[in-house]
C-alpha cells in the first residue's frame, strides 16, 4: 500500500505521520523547493516530496496500522483511522429489545461524566394489536404484554424497531456519544434513520437522508450511526426512507443535562415525562397516499396516538377499517397515563412527531403549561393554557400538580383542516392517590372552549386575542453578533407553493385531474441517483435552482421542473432565509380544507427573527417589502428552532451561521410531501471541508447514473 521511492522515504513518511500533530501546515505547493524536501498537504491526507526541477510528487499518506477495534471506537483524525480505546472501556452494553428503560445511559446527568451509549434497533414488519394482546382491552394488563403493540385497537401492518410503538427511546446526557446500529429485517424495503434536531456537527454521514448522506440500508444489512449528543433537549428519531415513519419507525431522543447547568432547574422537581404524539393511519401508509392521489379518498390522519396509545374518539364511518372493527374493543383501549405527585412540579417534554397534515393543539384540563424550551433551546418561561404545534416541533413545559387530587384529560386535537372531522386523542394525568377511573370532564372535541391563552406556533391568529406567537418568546441566549447585522452573506427567498401540472406518478389515468404537488420555488426535489456525500467521484449529475433553471430558459410554472435543488453556501458565512407562502395549499381532496405547513432544517439550529401574516403575498411583494424595510426582524433574543411554520399567507424569517459543512436538507414536515418533492439542499462548504468518508460504506447508484 505504500507508494514510497525507497526505504528511507518510507521511514521519513512514517515519522511525519507520527509527528503530524506537531508539524505546521506548510501549504500544498512550494515554488522553490529543494529536491528531497518533504511536507504534508493542507488537509494532511497526502505527503509531498520535492522532485527534479522543483516538481512536487504526491504520495498517499502512510497511516499507522489500526488495532483490532470495535466499530464504535473507530474515529478519523488527519486522514487516518484510529481506535479510541478509552471510549471502548466505557462502552455500555449492547442492550436490545425492550430493555431501554434500564439502559445504563439513562441516568442522572453529572458534569464531567460522559458515556458512549450503544443501541441496537431491530427493524421489522409487524402487526399492531396482534395475537400477543390476549384479552386486551378487557383485561387491561394484557395490553402491556411484550409484543402486543396495542395502538388504538385496530389490527394493521406496521413497521417497528424492537417491536414497540413508539420505537425505543434513546435517553442520554449532554456530552455522550450515541451509537445506534440499525439492522434492517424488513422483507422488501430499505431503511434510513434520521435524528430530528441533532445538527450532526462534524458527523454528516450520520444524518440519515437517503442518497444525500448515505445509501439506504437494504434488507438484511445494517448501518451504524454515531453522533454526539451536544445540546440538551427533546428530539426524536425516525425513518426518512419513504413513508416508513408514518407506519411506526419513530421514537423519542432525549438529551438531559446536569441540573447545575440547567437555567430552569429551580422550576421543576421531576423530568421523566414525555408526551410523544404521532399520526396514525388505519391502513398501510402507501395505500393512504395512493388513495388520495388516484381516487377521492382522504389523506388526513385517521387518528393520533399518544405514547403509542389511544381510542377512536370519533368514527367517520368512511373507512372500512373503522366500520368493520369491533367498537367494543376500540372504545375500551387504554389511554396513555402520566402519574404525578400532588404538589410536585413536573417537566413534560411534548414531542409532535406527526407526519400527516394538520398541526395539533395540546392542553391539560385545569392546568397551566409553563413553556421553558422550544426544539431543545431554553426560553424565558411563559404561561399558556394551550400550545398549537406543527409536525416536528417540540415544547418542554412545566405542569404543577396544584389542583385537587384527581384525574385530568390531556388533550391533543388536530386543528385547521382536521377541525371539521374532530380528530383528537386523549391521555390521562393522574395524581398520586386518585382513583384509576377515567377523568370525568367531557371528551367532546369542542370542550373546553377555545377561549384560552394559546401559544400558536403556526401563527394562524384569526380566532382569539389571547394568542401568543413564536416571535413573542425570548431565547435565554442572546443573538450571535454575526447574525445581528443588517447584512448577511447569503439571502434566499423560498416560496412554498404547489404545482398542478401533469404528474403521471399520481394520476389514475391521463384524463384524471392532477393532484397538487408541493414545491419550493416551483421546483420538485429529486433525490440523486448515487449517494451525494459518500460517492463524490460519481457526482456528475446536475444540480439546479431557480437561477440555473432560468438561465436554461425553463419556465417551471408551465413545465414541471424536477431536479436536485441545491443552494450553495460558503462555510462560516451567514445565511438568511425568507420563507413565504401565498397560496392556501389544499390539504386534502376537499379543496376547502387547508393547513399551515412547517419546514425542518438539517445540520443547524436557526434563529426565528420574524413571522407575520401578509395577505396576497408573492415573490414580487416580499422582495419589495424587504427593499422598503417592511420585513419585521427581531434582533433581541429571537428563539432558536430547527422546525418552524411558514406563515400562510405571510412570511417567516430565519437566520443561521453556516459553520457545519455538509449537504443539509430543508424539507416540509408532512412526510409524503417531503418524499415527493418538498425539499432542497443547502450545500455548505467544499468537499475538502468534510470529514473523511468512513471506509467500507455500501455504494449505490441507479442504472441511468
Ligand atoms: Cu432533522
Amino acid at each position: 500500500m505504500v507508494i514510497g521511492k525507497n526505504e528511507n522515504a518510507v521511514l521519513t513518511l512514517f515519522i511525519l505521520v507520527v509527528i503530524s500533530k506537531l508539524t505546521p501546515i506548510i501549504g500544498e505547493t512550494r515554488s522553490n523547493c529543494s529536491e528531497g524536501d518533504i511536507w504534508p498537504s493542507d488537509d494532511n491526507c497526502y505527503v509531498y516530496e520535492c522532485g527534479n526541477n522543483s516538481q512536487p510528487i504526491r504520495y498517499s499518506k502512510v497511516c499507522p496500522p489500526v488495532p483490532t477495534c470495535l466499530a464504535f471506537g473507530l474515529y478519523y483524525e488527519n486522514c487516518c483511522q484510529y481506535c479510541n480505546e478509552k471510549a471502548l472501556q466505557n462502552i455500555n452494553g449492547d442492550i436490545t429489545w425492550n430493555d431501554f428503560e434500564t439502559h445504563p445511559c439513562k441516568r442522572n446527568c453529572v458534569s464531567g461524566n460522559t458515556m458512549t451509549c450503544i443501541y441496537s434497533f431491530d427493524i421489522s414488519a409487524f402487526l399492531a394489536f396482534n395475537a400477543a394482546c390476549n384479552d386486551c382491552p378487557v383485561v387491561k394488563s394484557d395490553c402491556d404484554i411484550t409484543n402486543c403493540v396495542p395502538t388504538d385497537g385496530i389490527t394493521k401492518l406496521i413497521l417497528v424497531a424492537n417491536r414497540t410503538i413508539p420505537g425505543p427511546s434513546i435517553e442520554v446526557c449532554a456530552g455522550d456519544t450515541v451509537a445506534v446500529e440499525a439492522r434492517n429485517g424488513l422483507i422488501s424495503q430499505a431503511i434510513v434513520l434520521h435524528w430530528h434536531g441533532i445538527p450532526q456537527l462534524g458527523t454528516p454521514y450520520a444524518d440519515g437522508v437517503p442518497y444525500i448522506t448515505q445509501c439506504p440500508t437494504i434488507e438484511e444489512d445494517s448501518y451504524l450511526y454515531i453522533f454526539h449528543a451536544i445540546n440538551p433537549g427533546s428530539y426524536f428519531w425516525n425513518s426518512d426512507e419513504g413513508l416508513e415513519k408514518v407506519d411506526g419507525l419513530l421514537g423519542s431522543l432525549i438529551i438531559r443535562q446536569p441540573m447545575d447547568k440547567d437555567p430552569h432547574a429551580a422550576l421543576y422537581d421531576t423530568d421523566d415525562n414525555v408526551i410523544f404524539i404521532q399520526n396514525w393511519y388505519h391502513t398501510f401508509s402507501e395505500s393512504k397516499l395512493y388513495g388520495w392521489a388516484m381516487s377521492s379518498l382522504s389523506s388526513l390522519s385517521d387518528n393520533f396516538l399518544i405514547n403509542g396509545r389511544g381510542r377512536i374518539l370519533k368514527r367517520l364511518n368512511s373507512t372500512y377499517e373503522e366500520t368493520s372493527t369491533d367498537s367494543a374493543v376500540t372504545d375500551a383501549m387504554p389511554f396513555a397515563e402520566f402519574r404525578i405527585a400532588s404538589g410536585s412540579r413536573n417537566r413534560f417534554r411534548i414531542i409532535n412527531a406527526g407526519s400527516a397534515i394538520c398541526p395539533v393543539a395540546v392542553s391539560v384540563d385545569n392546568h397551566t403549561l409553563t413553556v421553558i424550551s422550544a426544539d431543545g433551546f431554553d426560553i424565558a418561561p411563559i404561561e399558556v393554557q394551550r400550545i398549537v404545534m406543527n409536525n416536528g416541533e417540540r415544547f418542554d413545559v412545566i405542569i404543577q400538580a396544584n389542583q385537587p387530587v384527581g384525574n385530568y384529560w390531556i388533550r391533543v386535537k388536530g386543528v385547521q383542516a382536521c377541525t371539521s372531522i374532530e380528530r383528537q386523542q386523549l391521555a390521562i394525568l393522574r395524581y398520586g392517590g386518585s382513583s384509576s377511573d377515567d377523568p370525568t370532564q367531557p371528551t367532546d372535541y369542542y370542550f373546553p372552549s377555545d377561549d384560552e391563552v394559546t401559544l400558536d406556533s403556526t401563527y394562524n391568529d384569526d380566532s382569539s386575542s389571547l394568542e401568543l406567537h413564536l416571535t413573542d418568546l425570548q431565547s435565554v441566549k442572546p443573538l450571535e453578533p454575526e447574525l445581528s447585522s443588517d447584512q448577511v452573506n447569503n439571502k434566499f427567498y423560498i416560496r412554498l407553493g404547489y404545482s398542478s401540472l401533469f404528474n403521471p406518478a399520481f394520476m389514475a389515468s391521463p384524463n384524471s385531474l392532477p393532484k397538487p404537488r408541493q414545491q419550493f420555488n416551483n421546483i420538485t426535489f429529486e433525490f440523486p441517483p448515487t449517494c451525494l456525500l459518500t460517492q463524490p467521484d460519481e457526482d456528475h449529475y446536475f444540480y439546479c435552482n431557480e437561477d440555473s433553471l432560468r438561465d436554461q430558459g425553463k419556465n417551471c410554472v408551465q413545465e414541471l421542473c424536477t431536479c436536485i435543488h441545491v443552494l450553495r453556501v460558503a462555510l462560516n458565512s451567514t445565511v438568511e432565509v425568507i420563507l413565504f407562502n401565498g397560496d392556501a395549499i389544499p390539504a386534502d381532496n376537499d379543496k376547502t380544507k387547508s393547513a399551515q405547513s412547517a419546514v425542518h432544517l438539517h445540520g443547524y439550529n436557526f434563529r426565528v427573527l420574524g413571522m407575520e401574516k401578509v395577505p396576497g403575498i408573492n415573490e414580487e411583494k416580499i422582495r419589495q417589502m424587504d427593499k422598503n424595510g417592511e420585513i419585521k426582524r427581531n434582533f433581541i433574543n429571537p428563539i432558536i428552532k430547527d422546525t418552524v411554520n411558514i406563515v400562510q399567507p405571510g412570511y417567516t424569517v430565519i437566520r443561521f451561521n453556516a459553520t457545519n459543512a455538509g449537504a443539509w436538507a430543508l424539507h416540509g414536515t408532512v412526510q409524503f410531501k417531503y418524499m415527493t418533492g418538498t425539499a432542497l439542499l443547502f450545500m455548505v462548504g467544499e468537499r475538502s471541508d468534510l470529514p473523511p468518508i468512513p471506509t467500507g460504506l455500501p455504494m449505490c447508484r441507479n442504472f441511468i447514473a
Side-chain angles (χ1 to χ4, degrees):
M1 294 303 287
V2 176
I3 314 164
K5 282 174 85 183
N6 54 42
E7 298 276 295
N8 275 347
V10 174
L11 185 65
T12 319
L13 289 173
F14 182 73
I15 290 165
L16 255 177
V17 170
V18 172
I19 61 164
S20 62
K21 275 188 177 162
L22 303 172
T23 309
I25 293 169
I26 299 165
E28 297 284 333
T29 54
R30 286 175 163 185
S31 47
N32 287 317
C33 66
S34 328
E35 194 172 348
D37 282 359
I38 289 176
W39 67 96
S41 65
D42 282 351
D43 60 6
N44 238 323
C45 292
Y46 301 96
V47 175
Y48 291 95
E49 183 187 359
C50 194
N52 288 338
N53 308 322
S54 297
Q55 282 298 314
I57 307 161
R58 195 175 78 166
Y59 299 105
S60 287
K61 180 170 169 175
V62 184
C63 292
V66 185
T68 310
C69 185
L70 272 174
F72 307 113
L74 287 173
Y75 69 100
Y76 289 86
E77 201 170 277
N78 293 325
C79 269
C80 288
Q81 199 174 34
Y82 298 91
C83 183
N84 184 352
E85 313 265 357
K86 217 173 134 212
L88 291 174
Q89 286 161 15
N90 203 13
I91 261 183
N92 295 283
D94 182 12
I95 310 283
T96 54
W97 297 99
N98 298 316
D99 291 341
F100 282 61
E101 275 298 304
T102 56
H103 195 288
C105 285
K106 185 181 175 185
R107 65 198 194 276
N108 279 329
C109 300
V110 177
S111 289
N113 167 9
T114 60
M115 293 166 84
T116 299
C117 306
I118 301 180
Y119 303 84
S120 292
F121 284 9
D122 277 304
I123 288 163
S124 65
F126 205 56
L127 206 65
F129 197 58
N130 57 44
C133 295
N134 283 353
D135 289 327
C136 166
V138 177
V139 179
K140 281 269 183 293
S141 59
D142 280 6
C143 304
D144 300 327
I145 292 173
T146 303
N147 293 339
C148 166
V149 197
T151 63
D152 57 1
I154 290 202
T155 302
K156 73 157 236 181
L157 178 63
I158 53 176
L159 305 177
V160 288
N162 301 359
R163 295 189 169 185
T164 63
I165 289 205
S169 176
I170 293 174
E171 300 186 50
V172 299
C173 295
D176 287 354
T177 299
V178 179
V180 181
E181 187 185 27
R183 302 179 193 148
N184 184 359
L186 297 175
I187 296 168
S188 55
Q189 278 175 267
I191 58 165
V192 171
L193 298 188
H194 170 64
W195 318 91
H196 184 102
I198 304 292
Q200 302 292 359
L201 186 63
T203 50
Y205 310 107
D207 191 41
V209 181
Y211 301 102
I212 307 298
T213 64
Q214 67 166 100
C215 294
T217 304
I218 60 169
E219 304 82 348
E220 302 298 324
D221 204 355
S222 69
Y223 193 87
L224 181 64
Y225 297 89
I226 302 181
F227 57 89
H228 305 292
I230 297 170
N231 186 63
S234 305
Y235 306 93
F236 62 92
W237 59 267
N238 65 265
S239 173
D240 266 345
E241 176 72 12
L243 305 179
E244 292 171 351
K245 173 186 184 184
V246 191
D247 291 311
L249 283 183
L250 75 181
S252 62
L253 166 53
I254 308 295
I255 305 175
R256 296 193 174 85
Q257 65 183 333
M259 286 304 256
D260 57 3
K261 295 241 172 80
D262 181 353
H264 296 321
L267 299 179
Y268 61 94
D269 311 308
T270 75
D271 177 16
D272 44 20
N273 290 295
V274 176
I275 298 179
F276 190 86
I277 300 161
Q278 69 188 92
N279 294 109
W280 200 239
Y281 284 150
H282 290 147
T283 51
F284 204 58
S285 61
E286 279 172 52
S287 64
K288 271 285 180 192
L289 169 60
Y290 285 90
W292 162 79
M294 303 203 173
S295 81
S296 56
L297 294 173
S298 168
S299 69
L300 296 181
S301 189
D302 289 330
N303 206 350
F304 297 102
L305 298 179
I306 302 175
N307 292 7
R309 301 200 164 196
R311 290 183 192 163
I312 299 170
L313 292 158
K314 173 108 179 169
R315 277 166 191 271
L316 288 182
N317 293 328
S318 62
T319 67
Y320 168 78
E321 291 73 20
E322 284 172 44
T323 49
S324 66
T325 47
D326 185 354
S327 61
V329 169
T330 54
D331 289 351
M333 292 303 290
F335 291 111
E337 298 188 5
F338 301 86
R339 289 164 195 281
I340 57 176
S342 182
S344 63
R345 303 164 307 161
N346 309 279
R347 181 177 190 146
F348 277 71
R349 296 165 180 272
I350 308 173
I351 298 174
N352 182 3
S355 46
I357 290 157
C358 294
V360 294
V362 183
S363 63
V364 182
D365 286 0
N366 298 27
H367 290 77
T368 295
L369 309 174
T370 306
V371 188
I372 57 168
S373 167
D375 290 6
F377 284 85
D378 292 315
I379 59 169
I382 189 161
E383 291 187 357
V384 299
Q385 310 306 128
R386 206 167 72 125
I387 303 175
V388 174
M389 53 200 291
N390 218 326
N391 293 343
E393 297 192 293
R394 294 91 62 205
F395 289 97
D396 290 12
V397 303
I398 292 163
I399 298 176
Q400 289 201 39
N402 55 8
Q403 294 298 303
V405 168
N407 300 309
Y408 299 88
W409 289 123
I410 296 171
R411 298 174 193 265
V412 173
K413 298 177 188 178
V415 295
Q416 298 165 22
C418 291
T419 300
S420 63
I421 55 172
E422 299 181 21
R423 275 287 169 268
Q424 64 162 338
Q425 193 51 272
L426 300 168
I428 302 173
L429 181 69
R430 290 197 194 285
Y431 279 46
S434 63
S435 74
S436 58
D437 298 338
D438 284 355
T440 52
Q441 298 267 52
T443 59
D444 186 78
Y445 178 89
Y446 292 100
F447 184 91
S449 84
D450 284 345
D451 223 10
E452 302 168 304
V453 179
T454 300
L455 169 60
D456 180 2
S457 65
T458 72
Y459 216 111
N460 188 36
D461 62 343
D462 27 24
S463 57
S464 159
S465 58
L466 304 172
E467 289 206 357
L468 298 166
H469 304 122
L470 295 183
T471 42
D472 296 317
L473 307 183
Q474 292 229 319
S475 174
V476 299
K477 278 190 188 169
L479 183 61
E480 297 75 8
E482 64 272 23
L483 296 180
S484 308
S485 158
D486 278 348
Q487 299 300 317
V488 285
N489 302 125
N490 309 274
K491 183 186 281 197
F492 299 104
Y493 296 90
I494 297 178
R495 183 177 77 89
L496 182 74
Y498 64 91
S499 168
S500 289
L501 292 170
F502 181 74
N503 175 14
F506 284 148
M507 293 168 71
S509 91
N511 304 322
S512 312
L513 274 180
K515 295 293 156 96
R517 195 159 160 168
Q518 215 178 52
Q519 299 175 313
F520 287 135
N521 290 351
N522 298 322
I523 300 169
T524 294
F525 183 79
E526 182 174 60
F527 287 93
T530 68
C531 182
L532 193 153
L533 279 194
T534 63
Q535 290 166 242
D537 297 343
E538 302 190 41
D539 172 8
H540 44 60
Y541 28 83
F542 297 104
Y543 301 114
C544 72
N545 55 40
E546 229 182 354
D547 295 339
S548 75
L549 291 166
R550 196 183 296 120
D551 291 349
Q552 287 171 32
K554 294 223 182 210
N555 181 337
C556 299
V557 177
Q558 285 163 10
E559 61 175 310
L560 192 68
C561 293
T562 303
C563 46
I564 308 165
H565 191 175
V566 160
L567 301 174
R568 289 188 187 273
V569 169
L571 188 62
N572 296 323
S573 63
T574 53
V575 181
E576 177 174 281
V577 184
I578 300 177
L579 298 146
F580 65 102
N581 181 1
D583 307 313
I585 299 173
D588 201 29
N589 280 312
D590 180 349
K591 298 269 185 298
T592 62
K593 288 179 189 156
S594 72
Q596 296 281 321
S597 302
V599 290
H600 169 57
L601 178 63
H602 292 211
Y604 294 95
N605 314 103
F606 51 76
R607 296 278 184 168
V608 181
L609 267 67
M611 291 174 93
E612 197 191 8
K613 269 202 166 184
V614 183
I617 198 147
N618 56 32
E619 174 133 19
E620 199 188 331
K621 187 163 178 175
I622 190 100
R623 284 180 187 268
Q624 195 58 46
M625 283 178 70
D626 201 12
K627 222 170 149 187
N628 298 346
E630 290 163 9
I631 302 259
K632 288 184 185 159
R633 292 181 182 83
N634 164 39
F635 294 98
I636 301 163
N637 305 339
I639 65 162
I640 305 172
K641 297 200 91 234
D642 54 63
T643 305
V644 72
N645 203 75
I646 307 179
V647 182
Q648 187 278 311
Y651 64 82
T652 299
V653 183
I654 64 171
R655 280 189 181 185
F656 60 94
N657 198 356
T659 52
N660 190 14
W664 305 111
L666 175 84
H667 64 82
T669 62
V670 172
Q671 193 69 5
F672 84 78
K673 295 187 175 180
Y674 170 22
M675 287 297 139
T676 56
T678 315
L680 58 78
L681 298 175
F682 284 101
M683 295 264 256
V684 179
E686 303 298 325
R687 290 226 169 254
S688 54
D689 297 319
L690 292 172
I693 299 165
T695 50
L697 290 181
M699 311 266 275
C700 48
R701 70 176 65 79
N702 70 12
F703 186 64
I704 302 159

